[in-house]
Amino acid sequence: MQILDGKLVSEAIKAQLATQVAELKAAGKKVPHLAAILVGNNPASETYVASKVKSCAECGYNSTLLRFDEQISEKHLLDQIILLNENADVDGILVQLPLPKHINEELVINTIDPSKDVDGFHPMNVGKMVSGLPAFIPATPYGIMLMLEHYNIPTAGKHAVVIGRSHIVGTPVSILLSRNTNPGNCTVTLTHSRTQNLAEICRQADIIIAAIGKPDFVTADMVKEGAVVVDVGINRVEDATKKSGFRLKGDVKFDEVAPKCSFITPVPGGVGPMTIAALLKNTYHANIGLKG
Ligand code: GUN
């Protein structure tokens, strides 16, 4: 069993981006600039956005963090996005989700200029991705593909079972894995809360992508010997022994599943850091042009 070390791989990707950004700077060109919007103070969102901003600095990017109160009106938020769309110095715009209930997320996403949509959530980018055209790929699925690529994991002809059909992870990763690319060329089964015989389907998987948001959901009896398991879950579970009062748990019961796997991602230190590396790659491409 080999651990897929997202921390290590993401550091290598960030080091490469830092070199590329230094070259841009040396050539007198503009460095990438990410603008992140955080509404309210959801503790998980705070952590994610702080990591994104910190990673920008590590790679020599500029970043702007715009924070707004939970009570911000939808109109005011949309106006802020329009200002960022019009600001030629800003390459990438990210609105951290989830947003408060009174704000229409779809409207917010649709307002972001697709050429600055480094989360890849705008329907224009989703449509381009599905069509196999150059597009911003959502960061978590992109990070998973970069991880599979880095470890040269054979995917062609393999049966990949994706658990969870979210727009952020499950749906896009199932599309990416089924494409005629490397990694890719998988036969994909996209499962969800209404799937019957889920355990049986998972047992047929060569690759499992667990993105359901339920701690310890995938147990050893659901995993075939030698499977590749990618755990996307970042579940906060109470733990009185921790200073923070919680610890992170994946969607996979790691201790019992890991011994059966050929490769497995840990939580933390697996998909999480890869998501940030992928976001930085998208932001770099927003700066130099998608096909650059
Ligand atoms: N919330 C959970 N995942 C994501 C993500 O990838 N991007 C944004 N903007 N918000 C999220």
Side-chain angles (χ1 to χ4, degrees):
M1 184 272 294
Q2 192 182 346
I3 295 283
L4 299 171
D5 188 339
K7 202 161 158 16
L8 195 84
V9 181
S10 70
E11 290 301 333
I13 292 171
K14 289 199 285 186
Q16 191 185 10
L17 288 168
T19 306
Q20 289 170 300
V21 169
E23 285 167 9
L24 286 178
K25 213 168 177 170
K29 296 191 179 144
K30 199 182 96 57
V31 301
H33 181 176
L34 176 71
I37 294 181
L38 177 58
V39 179
N41 39 26
N42 174 314
S45 292
E46 295 255 8
T47 309
Y48 299 149
V49 171
S51 288
K52 292 170 184 178
V53 167
K54 180 165 163 264
S55 296
C56 279
E58 285 168 9
C59 295
Y61 294 22
N62 287 331
S63 67
T64 302
L65 172 57
L66 299 175
R67 296 197 59 142
F68 298 104
D69 189 85
E70 183 91 21
Q71 309 299 331
I72 185 176
S73 73
E74 185 179 274
K75 165 88 170 66
H76 188 56
L77 181 59
L78 296 177
D79 286 344
Q80 297 302 311
I81 293 171
I82 291 164
L83 284 175
L84 294 172
N85 285 343
E86 290 167 352
N87 182 344
D89 193 63
V90 170
D91 300 299
I93 302 170
L94 174 156
V95 181
Q96 189 65 30
L97 303 177
L99 290 168
K101 290 272 178 292
H102 67 279
I103 296 176
N104 180 341
E105 265 180 22
E106 190 186 348
L107 187 57
V108 167
I109 289 166
N110 289 355
T111 302
I112 298 171
D113 180 335
S115 71
K116 298 190 178 189
D117 170 38
V118 287
D119 260 331
F121 295 162
H122 191 287
M124 184 84 89
N125 281 311
V126 177
K128 284 183 175 175
M129 179 190 71
V130 172
S131 308
L133 298 169
F136 292 114
I137 308 290
T140 303
Y142 187 17
I144 292 169
M145 299 305 280
L146 291 169
M147 178 93 101
L148 296 173
E149 183 182 25
H150 179 91
Y151 282 95
N152 256 318
I153 292 178
T155 58
K158 303 293 183 189
H159 183 198
V161 172
V162 178
I163 311 174
R165 57 179 155 188
S166 73
H167 293 306
I168 293 183
V169 187
T171 296
V173 84
S174 66
I175 292 167
L176 295 173
L177 286 169
S178 67
R179 291 206 304 204
N180 181 11
T181 53
N182 183 32
N185 282 308
C186 290
T187 302
V188 177
T189 303
L190 177 55
T191 68
H192 46 76
S193 54
R194 304 289 288 270
T195 297
Q196 294 179 350
N197 306 322
L198 179 67
E200 200 178 306
I201 294 168
C202 286
R203 275 193 292 276
Q204 294 166 16
D206 302 305
I207 300 167
I208 292 179
I209 313 284
I212 191 160
K214 290 187 182 161
D216 290 343
F217 183 83
V218 177
T219 47
D221 60 298
M222 296 165 73
V223 179
K224 181 168 79 175
E225 202 67 47
V228 176
V229 173
V230 175
D231 189 350
V232 184
I234 310 182
N235 306 291
R236 290 180 168 223
V237 297
E238 272 185 39
D239 185 342
T241 68
K242 298 273 179 196
K243 215 164 74 187
S244 59
F246 70 87
R247 71 194 161 101
L248 295 180
K249 247 184 180 233
D251 289 353
V252 176
K253 206 164 186 180
F254 184 90
D255 290 349
E256 63 173 54
V257 170
K260 296 184 86 173
C261 297
S262 54
F263 296 91
I264 186 167
T265 61
V267 175
V271 173
M274 292 305 298
T275 295
I276 295 191
L279 171 72
L280 292 173
K281 273 179 88 80
N282 277 344
T283 306
Y284 178 78
H285 285 287
N287 171 282
I288 66 162
L290 254 187
K291 279 174 250 172

